[in-house]
Amino acid sequence: MSSTKINLADGNQKQGFTRLGWLWFFVMIALTFAILASSFLADRVSLAEGDIAPSNVYYFGNATTFTSQIYTEQAQQLAAGEVEQIYKYDEKVAVDMQVQVDTLFDSLHAVRVSDAVDEAKLLELNRLLTPPAAEGEEVQPPSQAILEYFLGLDDAGETLLRNSLKNAVSAAYGLGEFDEEALPEVEEQCRVNIDAIAQSGRAANFMRQAMLLLEFKPTHVFDQVATMDAISQAISSVQPISITVYPGQLLITRGAVVTAANVETLEAVGLQQPGSGLQAYLGLLLLVVICYALLQMYCTKMSGDNNLGVGNINLIAILFIIMLLIARVITLIKFDSTLATDWMLGLAIPVPAFAMLLAALVNKRTAIFATLIISVFIGIMCGAHMLYVFAALVGGLMGILQVGRMNSRSYYALAVVNISMAYMLVSVSWCFMWNYDRAALYIALLMSLINGVVSVILMVGTLPLLESAFAITTDIRLMELSNINHPLLKRLMVEAPGTYNHSILVGNLAEAAADRIGADGLLVRVASYFHDIGKMKRPNFFVENQKPGENPHDKLQPSLSTFIITSHTKEGADIARSYKLPKEIIDIIEQHHGTSLVKGFYNKAVEAAKAQDIETAQLREEDYRYPGPIPQTREAALVMLADSCQAAVQSMTAPTPGQIEGMVRDIIKGKLNDGQLNQCALTFRDLDVIASAFATILVGAKHYRLPYPEQLAKELAVKTKKAEKEAEKALDKTVEKAAEKTADEKPAKESEDA
């Protein structure tokens, strides 16, 4: 499809772009940043352990695997808890019991041998032999007899008593390894041993009282070191636990209590927002500036389109903002379901509509570049997921391919299918690559179908509005105008049938030549259909609409006839404006005759002046020329040449192919010499190609046949007469040369004779 036509290529508009371009640049950056920033961190949350989740939290990125410290610690704690306590036989317990007995008797001995009075000794002994009070138990103090018994012992008796108690305790611990549960049995055994060893009842009573002061300990004790070693070994044997989060996975359900594991997962996949995110927003602003700098550089230096000025920059800016706003609205939709519907809504953003509008209103090259930029922005709005970038890019490019084909309802349906299929293929490939579940795949396919339908509807619905707002003529608009059922064409067919047929032929002729030189063939054909609509004002004043023998110009002055004929360009432009035809077509209607001379009426005026003995110098050619302007574009020049050539060849009677081509080239040469092609971009090579194309089509249109014998005789007589005249001219030239030679030789001979 050819590029769009926008009349913004003059120097003033380029200068305006220099002034307004930077303003638009900063305005676009600000608006785009504001829209993107509103959703840039929308998928991130700030949750703490124990919070209630306000909404479903999905993960939108690629599959991510991380080592969970929390789950690993839980596994280590579980492994440590499964380790049983380790016990051992403590030989030091029996020795410690002997030390306790010695310590007790040393204290008692110090009191017995002290210089204190007996009453003081008895009080001190009572204190030493009274066991400490345990909670909930009654204290069993020693009896007076026990105190007096010990106080009355000598050293030998005390030593015997000490050793007897030690032997009783040692014999009790000789039972072997035992735990705390067996302590009552050990104590009871100790009492039995005391009764067996004691020399008297008083000695047994004393040792029983003394035994109450001893702390019996089990020999089967907990081995803390061995147990800790076992726990450490169990912990070290636990492998780190890895967690994989898949795209579209629901991390936290709305209303659920946030756990430490949830917080850890959010941090691992980058959804937990730390602080204000100022650094992230600065990065976003920088990316937006880079994208728009590339876009402005392309539009001003690399697009290859001299018409890409203020109007197109404004249009691109408006479409960018509209598309970003639509995308923002779509990303705000939340169903809060456990399915991936919220996440897959990004596939429903109608980027193809944006791409198709730019391709139709500007050109395909600019549309492709702008689609690349908008795809990056869409990816940012959808959680920086490459799926949406790739889908938007592929869908946009597919949409650009549809522009130029949608000239009927069937092609609208085909465009929906093609765009939807492009999105579906991207979605299927992505779901297969990252192992999406079946529900996510089905939702992606549904969103792809919705995108195709919405994109085509949005493009078809807004295109006429944008065409009118920016005075742009698209190929789709031209295809609509090329329909012969257009009201103006139907009027032309009824009111000026000859002009209508002539216009159709001119359209076919001009389009063929336009295609060969790379001009806009569609614009040329449509403009040709309408180029002579001004003749509907006075159709019978134009030869193609006249009946044989009826020519109203025979009764008019040449000047008046010229005025009537030349007025059809202005009147045609007025009619075109009343029917709201595009400016490009109106320009061609006004320019298709340029400032050409109406030779027939000018020559008639000259002959009339001669007949009335009026000086022909008083006749101005300007009065017998069209008002112009001359063609400003290649398309207008093509309509001019096609119009003149078709009319001239149509007036020829049984022309040969050579005569047709000669006529075509003479007309083109005449327009060139008359200065009618001075302001269009046609080259001499283009003119040669145009002449060949015109001749080829016109020869076919005239249906050239072999001449009849009568015609051959007439042509032979004409050729014979022409040959005779040429022979007479050659003979006359020979005689003149001979006379000149004789005249030159005579003076020379006279001088020699002298």
Side-chain angles (χ1 to χ4, degrees):
M1 185 193 75
S2 59
S3 61
T4 313
K5 289 67 66 180
I6 299 182
N7 300 314
L8 296 171
D10 56 27
N12 292 333
Q13 281 144 345
K14 288 183 179 179
Q15 183 179 2
F17 174 74
T18 302
R19 293 192 302 267
L20 296 178
W22 288 108
L23 176 61
W24 267 117
F25 182 74
F26 290 114
V27 170
M28 286 292 293
I29 288 176
L31 292 176
T32 302
F33 175 75
I35 296 173
L36 294 181
S38 65
S39 63
F40 179 49
L41 300 178
D43 58 331
R44 302 188 184 185
V45 295
S46 181
L47 298 175
E49 184 179 0
D51 292 346
I52 303 298
S55 61
N56 291 339
V57 179
Y58 291 92
Y59 172 60
F60 299 149
N62 298 327
T64 301
T65 300
F66 67 95
T67 300
S68 174
Q69 296 296 331
I70 292 179
Y71 285 116
T72 301
E73 290 176 0
Q74 291 178 354
Q76 291 173 346
Q77 292 175 1
L78 181 62
E82 293 178 351
V83 175
E84 296 182 357
Q85 293 183 343
I86 299 176
Y87 290 84
K88 65 178 181 179
Y89 176 71
D90 191 358
E91 298 177 350
K92 296 181 180 180
V93 174
V95 176
D96 178 68
M97 294 301 297
Q98 299 296 316
V99 172
Q100 289 186 50
V101 173
D102 288 335
T103 301
L104 175 61
F105 272 89
D106 289 342
S107 300
L108 297 175
H109 173 75
V111 174
R112 186 179 64 81
V113 298
S114 67
D115 296 335
V117 297
D118 290 343
E119 292 182 0
K121 291 181 179 180
L122 290 175
L123 290 175
E124 182 64 17
L125 289 176
N126 182 69
R127 184 185 67 80
L128 293 175
L129 289 175
T130 302
E135 185 177 357
E137 294 183 0
E138 294 183 1
V139 178
Q140 185 178 356
S143 62
Q144 186 69 22
I146 293 175
L147 297 177
E148 292 176 352
Y149 167 75
F150 181 78
L151 189 60
L153 291 176
D154 56 11
D155 291 340
E158 180 183 338
T159 301
L160 179 61
L161 191 61
R162 177 195 298 238
N163 293 333
S164 297
L165 182 57
K166 292 173 66 175
N167 291 334
V169 172
S170 177
Y173 272 85
L175 296 177
E177 187 175 350
F178 57 88
D179 53 16
E180 290 187 0
E181 295 181 356
L183 285 179
E185 297 179 0
V186 173
E187 293 178 1
E188 181 62 28
Q189 183 63 43
C190 186
R191 294 187 186 93
V192 172
N193 294 339
I194 289 174
D195 293 340
I197 296 174
Q199 295 82 8
S200 63
R202 295 175 62 189
N205 292 335
F206 179 84
M207 286 188 290
R208 284 176 177 272
Q209 184 66 36
M211 190 186 72
L212 297 176
L213 299 173
L214 301 179
E215 181 182 0
F216 285 82
K217 298 178 180 179
T219 56
H220 183 71
V221 298
F222 171 67
D223 191 344
Q224 184 176 4
V225 175
T227 303
M228 291 303 299
D229 290 342
I231 291 175
S232 298
Q233 185 176 359
I235 291 175
S236 62
S237 65
V238 175
Q239 296 296 326
I241 296 178
S242 297
I243 302 297
T244 300
V245 182
Y246 295 97
Q249 182 173 337
L250 178 62
L251 301 182
I252 305 176
T253 305
R254 178 181 180 181
V257 178
V258 178
T259 64
N262 293 145
V263 175
E264 181 188 42
T265 302
L266 294 175
E267 292 175 349
V269 299
L271 295 182
Q272 182 77 343
Q273 175 60 37
S276 62
L278 178 60
Q279 181 177 348
Y281 285 112
L282 289 176
L284 174 63
L285 178 60
L286 179 60
L287 180 63
V288 172
V289 171
I290 292 173
C291 289
Y292 275 112
L294 292 174
L295 183 62
Q296 189 186 47
M297 185 185 303
Y298 177 85
C299 292
T300 55
K301 298 181 180 180
M302 299 187 296
S303 68
D305 190 344
N306 293 329
N307 290 334
L308 209 57
V310 178
N312 278 337
I313 296 298
N314 293 347
L315 174 62
I316 294 172
I318 291 174
L319 289 180
F320 257 98
I321 296 302
I322 291 175
M323 179 51 55
L324 291 176
L325 288 175
I326 292 175
R328 184 67 186 106
V329 171
I330 292 177
T331 56
L332 286 175
I333 299 175
K334 299 296 181 183
F335 293 98
D336 283 333
S337 64
T338 56
L339 300 176
T341 308
D342 295 350
W343 172 47
M344 288 295 182
L345 278 173
L347 294 174
I349 299 175
V351 175
F354 167 84
M356 288 188 290
L357 286 172
L358 276 184
L361 295 170
V362 184
N363 58 56
K364 286 186 176 180
R365 295 187 302 274
T366 303
I368 292 173
F369 193 86
T371 300
L372 176 61
I373 299 298
I374 199 69
S375 298
V376 174
F377 291 158
I378 295 300
I380 294 174
M381 297 185 73
C382 296
H385 200 320
M386 282 301 298
L387 168 61
Y388 303 109
V389 178
F390 191 53
L393 182 60
V394 174
L397 295 179
M398 178 59 70
I400 293 173
L401 293 177
Q402 308 310 307
V403 177
R405 303 176 182 177
M406 295 188 294
N407 55 0
S408 67
R409 294 181 180 179
S410 60
Y411 281 106
Y412 293 157
L414 183 61
V416 170
V417 172
N418 290 337
I419 293 173
S420 299
M421 287 300 299
Y423 268 87
M424 287 180 180
L425 290 176
V426 173
S427 301
V428 170
S429 64
W430 203 267
C431 291
F432 285 177
M433 286 172 59
W434 302 107
N435 297 322
Y436 285 18
D437 56 25
R438 188 170 298 178
L441 176 60
Y442 291 158
I443 294 173
L445 296 178
L446 176 62
M447 296 302 167
S448 300
L449 178 61
I450 293 174
N451 193 320
V453 175
V454 172
S455 294
V456 173
I457 293 176
L458 191 62
M459 183 266 186
V460 174
T462 58
L463 184 59
L465 300 177
L466 294 172
E467 286 179 339
S468 301
F470 290 89
I472 299 173
T473 303
T474 65
D475 285 357
I476 295 177
R477 172 64 172 151
L478 291 176
M479 285 188 288
E480 293 174 352
L481 293 174
S482 68
N483 191 335
I484 60 175
N485 289 321
H486 189 279
L488 192 52
L489 292 180
K490 293 178 74 173
R491 272 191 60 192
L492 182 64
M493 181 172 58
V494 173
E495 298 176 16
T499 300
Y500 173 81
N501 292 326
H502 161 73
S503 299
I504 298 298
L505 294 175
V506 170
N508 296 335
L509 195 65
E511 184 181 27
D515 292 339
R516 293 194 184 185
I517 67 171
D520 193 338
L522 180 59
L523 174 61
V524 167
R525 174 162 61 88
V526 176
S528 298
Y529 290 171
F530 294 94
H531 79 286
D532 274 344
I533 56 176
K535 295 180 179 181
M536 290 191 301
K537 288 280 187 178
R538 305 173 191 87
N540 59 324
F541 281 84
F542 298 90
V543 63
E544 66 267 22
N545 299 313
Q546 296 171 358
K547 296 180 181 179
E550 296 181 3
N551 189 350
H553 292 289
D554 294 338
K555 303 176 183 180
L556 300 177
Q557 293 294 327
S559 59
L560 181 57
S561 296
T562 300
F563 175 76
I564 293 173
I565 294 299
T566 57
S567 295
H568 84 274
T569 56
K570 179 181 180 302
E571 292 169 346
D574 293 338
I575 294 174
R577 291 188 185 95
S578 67
Y579 276 83
K580 300 182 188 285
L581 294 186
K583 186 178 184 301
E584 290 78 12
I585 295 179
I586 296 175
D587 290 341
I588 292 177
I589 293 174
E590 291 179 329
Q591 300 169 14
H592 80 277
H593 279 295
T595 58
S596 299
L597 178 67
V598 186
K599 291 183 179 180
F601 295 120
Y602 177 73
N603 294 334
K604 184 178 179 180
V606 171
E607 293 175 0
K610 289 180 179 179
Q612 298 176 10
D613 294 329
I614 301 175
E615 293 184 6
T616 57
Q618 296 180 1
L619 296 175
R620 298 190 311 166
E621 279 193 5
E622 291 78 6
D623 296 334
Y624 293 87
R625 286 184 177 273
Y626 281 89
I630 63 175
Q632 305 295 304
T633 62
R634 295 193 299 170
E635 288 76 16
L638 278 170
V639 175
M640 166 187 276
L641 298 177
D643 183 32
S644 300
C645 291
Q646 198 281 328
V649 173
Q650 184 69 27
S651 65
M652 298 175 68
T653 303
T656 64
Q659 291 172 336
I660 292 176
E661 184 170 0
M663 176 66 75
V664 169
R665 293 189 179 275
D666 287 343
I667 291 174
I668 294 176
K669 183 178 180 181
K671 296 294 184 184
L672 180 63
N673 294 336
D674 194 27
Q676 301 301 313
L677 305 179
N678 288 350
Q679 296 183 13
C680 65
L682 289 177
T683 64
F684 287 111
R685 180 183 178 280
D686 291 338
L687 294 177
D688 182 65
V689 173
I690 291 169
S692 299
F694 283 0
T696 301
I697 295 176
L698 289 172
V699 167
K702 290 299 289 184
H703 299 291
Y704 172 72
R705 298 176 181 174
L706 291 174
Y708 291 100
E710 295 83 357
Q711 184 178 354
L712 287 174
K714 292 180 181 179
E715 292 179 357
L716 181 60
V718 172
K719 290 181 180 179
T720 302
K721 189 175 181 179
K722 184 177 181 181
E724 290 175 353
K725 288 182 179 180
E726 291 177 354
E728 290 177 1
K729 290 181 180 179
L731 181 60
D732 293 340
K733 289 182 179 179
T734 302
V735 173
E736 290 177 359
K737 290 181 179 180
E740 292 175 356
K741 184 177 182 182
T742 303
D744 293 337
E745 292 176 352
K746 186 175 180 180
K749 185 175 182 181
E750 290 176 352
S751 64
E752 289 176 358
D753 293 343

